[in-house]
Amino acid sequence: MKVLVTDPIADAGLDRLREAGYEVETNYEAEGDDLLDAVADANALIVRSGTQVDEAVFEAAEDLVIVGRAGIGVDNIDIEAATSHGVIVANAPEGNVRAAAEHTVAMTFATARSIPQAHARLKGGEWAKSDYLGTEVNNKTLGIVGLGRVGQEVAKRLDSLGMNLVVFDPYISEERAAQLGAELVEDLHEMLGQADFATIHTPLLPETEGMIGEEELAQLEGGYLINCARGGIVDEAALAEAVADGVLEGAALDSFETEPLPEDSPLLDVDDVVVTPHLGASTEAAQENVATDTADAVIAAFRDEPVLNALNAPSVDETAFPRIEPYIDLAETAGKIGAQLLDDRISEIEVTYEGDIASEDVELVTASALKGVFQPLEWQVNAVNAPQLAEDRGIEVVESKTRQTEDFQSLVRVTVRDGDEELAVEGTLFAGDDPRIVRIDGFRVDAVPYGHMLAVRNRDEPGIIGLIGTVLGNHDVNIAGMFNARETHGGEALTVYNLDDDVPDAVIEELVADDRILEARGITLDEPNGR
């Protein structure tokens, strides 16, 4: 497996990947066609903010499994395109949270006390003590735009310094804000009107782009604005004008719409605007943390383990993964069997969990069931894009749970439907995480799900099993195992065979030519490890 790294990350991350046995290639100059050529044979791509990962990149990288963003912001990655191509996108949100929060606090003091300006003048030989009268933060109101990880850390630090906290964030509850000692305000203008200082901690999204403009800055009159989040959220020209005209006392920015900041930026002409070159995550600890976190995400993806910070794939808590892991393959297998036996256009998929498994987070298991249903249809599918494929094709997906189960400690049922037609496949785990298919279309079986299988629905009459065995033998297909069930004596029966080889079309044709055989279908599954 090959990992391509196109933006510099700490050596600790690169070393971790190499120690895991993967090839690591660094190409920090790749862009345009050179990037497309470089990524063509890559299985993982690691970037920071400098590399644009768009549709063309995903088109060029047919073997790409994951894009790892060594940091928080992912506005340089087309997540929708990644999902459609079945590529995981994961960031490293925890590694630089503390560093970004500390830099925000530092920038708050820098602008409130004019520290850079006074420093520059003293270095230039001026003792300008009387020119600077700073503002204390104690008993002032801090307005926080976005109470995510960084926003919460900033809130904790500045709350401890005696600031009153008000928050604007449409995605958090009043209870969560209150836990941090903050008041949740539903209107951005109202929040800015209360604030003496305002800090921004939102990602750059269509709804946040340009959200702080002339009108919003006017609400913060006499205050200070600090943005160490993402460029493009603040109208930089309007901010420069507001500070220059005295609408704001000052501002401090670490992120900009265009980076590096152009020489003609109006921000550079205003003395009371403090700027730093995107240093929020620039600490030794933060750089090492995001590098190793990103490397761990890549390793997990390569090993088919949960990617804990995946942004477009079902994830699961690391401690819960061992409890659901055996059901991932079981659900996928049940989906494969259902799709191959229904053999029709599927309009609805229902995944039902009974017993102990119903108490777990099963989003990843459900995605695997969808993957299993779609694979026999020869769609390019994995657990990342399976839910999106269902939505794009108008296939309804239903997930249900019940702690009640009749016969097993845990049971997973995958039901595929096409209008009035439906077929359910149920599976469970025997001792030692041994997967079994225990019911197909209502018939109780005990089938070991692997390799090549033949499912035959027939009248319950003497000689049928002998007939099937003879036909298979005549075509040199060996039977490895057989599981038989029937509704009632003399009614319908279902027999499932494990075979050493694929089922030839001639076998199916010969079987269904007999009036006693109602249906016969070959099923192809994966071989288990070690078999």
Side-chain angles (χ1 to χ4, degrees):
M1 303 293 274
K2 175 181 174 181
V3 182
L4 175 66
V5 185
T6 57
D7 293 313
I9 67 170
D11 288 341
L14 304 178
D15 292 343
R16 184 163 297 189
L17 291 165
R18 294 187 176 109
E19 289 167 3
Y22 304 122
E23 175 189 355
V24 178
E25 176 184 321
T26 59
N27 187 341
Y28 302 147
E29 306 298 325
E31 60 181 28
D33 289 342
D34 290 340
L35 173 61
L36 301 184
D37 290 340
V39 81
D41 62 344
N43 304 108
L45 173 64
I46 294 179
V47 302
R48 300 201 62 166
S49 59
T51 301
Q52 293 298 314
V53 187
D54 54 17
E55 173 72 32
V57 171
F58 294 110
E59 288 285 349
E62 295 183 358
D63 298 324
L64 201 60
V65 175
I66 182 172
V67 174
R69 165 62 165 99
I72 297 178
V74 291
D75 42 283
N76 57 316
I77 302 172
D78 188 335
I79 295 180
E80 184 176 341
T83 302
S84 67
H85 285 270
V87 178
I88 299 169
V89 177
N91 64 350
E94 300 292 346
N96 59 14
V97 166
R98 184 175 291 106
E102 290 182 0
H103 193 66
T104 300
V105 173
M107 293 288 270
T108 300
F109 281 106
T111 185
R113 301 302 297 270
S114 302
I115 294 171
Q117 298 92 325
H119 168 82
R121 291 182 67 178
L122 185 56
K123 282 281 189 175
E126 295 184 67
W127 185 265
K129 178 178 180 178
S130 61
D131 289 350
Y132 297 106
L133 186 64
T135 299
E136 296 182 14
V137 301
N138 183 50
N139 287 328
K140 299 298 191 300
T141 297
L142 174 68
I144 303 174
V145 183
L147 198 62
R149 292 180 176 91
V150 178
Q152 291 180 27
E153 293 299 318
V154 170
K156 295 174 185 176
R157 285 159 173 75
L158 291 178
D159 177 59
S160 69
L161 295 176
M163 299 197 79
N164 304 309
L165 309 181
V166 292
V167 173
F168 171 75
D169 189 328
Y171 304 104
I172 68 159
S173 65
E174 291 184 7
E175 292 77 14
R176 180 56 183 149
Q179 289 173 1
L180 293 163
E183 175 191 353
L184 184 64
V185 180
E186 294 185 359
D187 181 75
L188 175 61
H189 283 204
E190 179 184 349
M191 189 217 73
L192 291 171
Q194 297 180 34
D196 300 298
F197 293 80
T199 65
I200 299 170
H201 306 287
T202 69
L204 180 63
L205 302 168
E207 58 266 34
T208 63
E209 186 173 5
M211 72 181 298
I212 306 292
E214 183 179 356
E215 292 183 10
E216 290 73 24
L217 295 170
Q219 299 299 315
L220 189 61
E221 184 176 4
Y224 299 84
L225 181 77
I226 300 94
N227 180 22
C228 297
R230 306 299 292 176
I233 297 170
V234 178
D235 183 331
E236 295 173 4
L239 176 62
E241 184 176 350
V243 176
D245 292 347
V247 176
L248 298 185
E249 288 294 318
L253 292 91
D254 185 52
S255 301
F256 308 94
E257 184 174 358
T258 301
E259 296 184 358
L261 187 64
E263 293 181 1
D264 60 352
S265 169
L267 297 170
L268 299 176
D269 297 328
V270 183
D271 189 51
D272 288 326
V273 175
V274 178
V275 290
T276 53
H278 210 139
L279 299 178
S282 294
T283 70
E284 185 175 346
Q287 293 304 300
E288 184 167 318
N289 288 341
V290 298
T292 55
D293 287 352
T294 305
D296 288 342
V298 170
I299 293 169
F302 284 171
R303 293 176 177 174
D304 288 327
E305 297 173 355
V307 179
L308 300 184
N309 293 312
L311 302 175
N312 65 335
S315 188
V316 64
D317 184 84
E318 189 173 14
T319 60
F321 181 66
R323 296 193 298 273
I324 70 163
E325 182 179 13
Y327 294 95
I328 294 172
D329 287 341
L330 179 65
E332 181 179 333
T333 298
K336 286 181 182 178
I337 294 173
Q340 292 178 73
L341 291 181
L342 187 65
D343 193 30
D344 209 339
R345 192 184 76 83
I346 295 170
S347 59
E348 182 181 340
I349 302 167
E350 181 176 1
V351 187
T352 304
Y353 301 92
E354 296 182 1
D356 291 350
I357 186 64
S359 64
E360 302 290 347
D361 179 357
V362 292
E363 183 184 11
L364 181 58
V365 183
T366 298
S368 297
L370 299 183
K371 173 188 174 184
V373 172
F374 296 150
Q375 273 190 337
L377 305 179
E378 298 184 352
W379 295 354
Q380 296 298 313
V381 62
N382 58 22
V384 177
N385 63 4
Q388 186 65 49
L389 283 173
E391 181 178 344
D392 291 345
R393 286 158 175 78
I395 298 173
E396 183 179 0
V397 178
V398 179
E399 180 184 289
S400 59
K401 294 181 175 182
T402 175
R403 293 301 304 272
Q404 303 300 316
T405 181
E406 294 181 0
D407 302 317
F408 304 99
Q409 187 171 348
S410 290
L411 186 80
V412 177
R413 180 187 306 110
V414 180
T415 305
V416 289
R417 298 187 177 96
D418 177 24
D420 295 333
E421 298 291 325
E422 73 171 41
L423 188 140
V425 179
E426 301 177 19
T428 191
L429 298 174
F430 286 3
D433 292 340
D434 184 18
R436 297 295 177 91
I437 299 300
V438 294
R439 192 172 283 111
I440 297 177
D441 202 22
F443 290 93
R444 179 66 183 268
V445 297
D446 181 13
V448 180
Y450 72 91
H452 305 289
M453 303 175 73
L454 172 67
V456 180
R457 191 192 304 267
N458 55 272
R459 295 191 180 94
D460 182 32
E461 297 180 11
I464 298 297
I465 292 177
L467 166 68
I468 297 169
T470 299
V471 172
L472 288 170
N474 289 340
H475 289 271
D476 295 323
V477 179
N478 191 49
I479 299 173
M482 184 189 78
F483 313 92
N484 181 256
R486 65 183 182 183
E487 292 178 333
T488 59
H489 178 68
E492 286 189 12
L494 179 74
T495 308
V496 178
Y497 299 84
N498 284 115
L499 307 174
D500 288 341
D501 301 290
D502 196 4
V503 183
D505 291 341
V507 168
I508 302 296
E509 293 171 2
E510 190 170 341
L511 290 175
V512 298
D514 191 295
D515 291 341
R516 297 170 295 176
I517 304 293
L518 305 176
E519 186 178 32
R521 294 191 183 278
I523 301 169
T524 301
L525 303 174
D526 295 331
E527 293 285 350
N529 293 332
R531 187 177 293 277

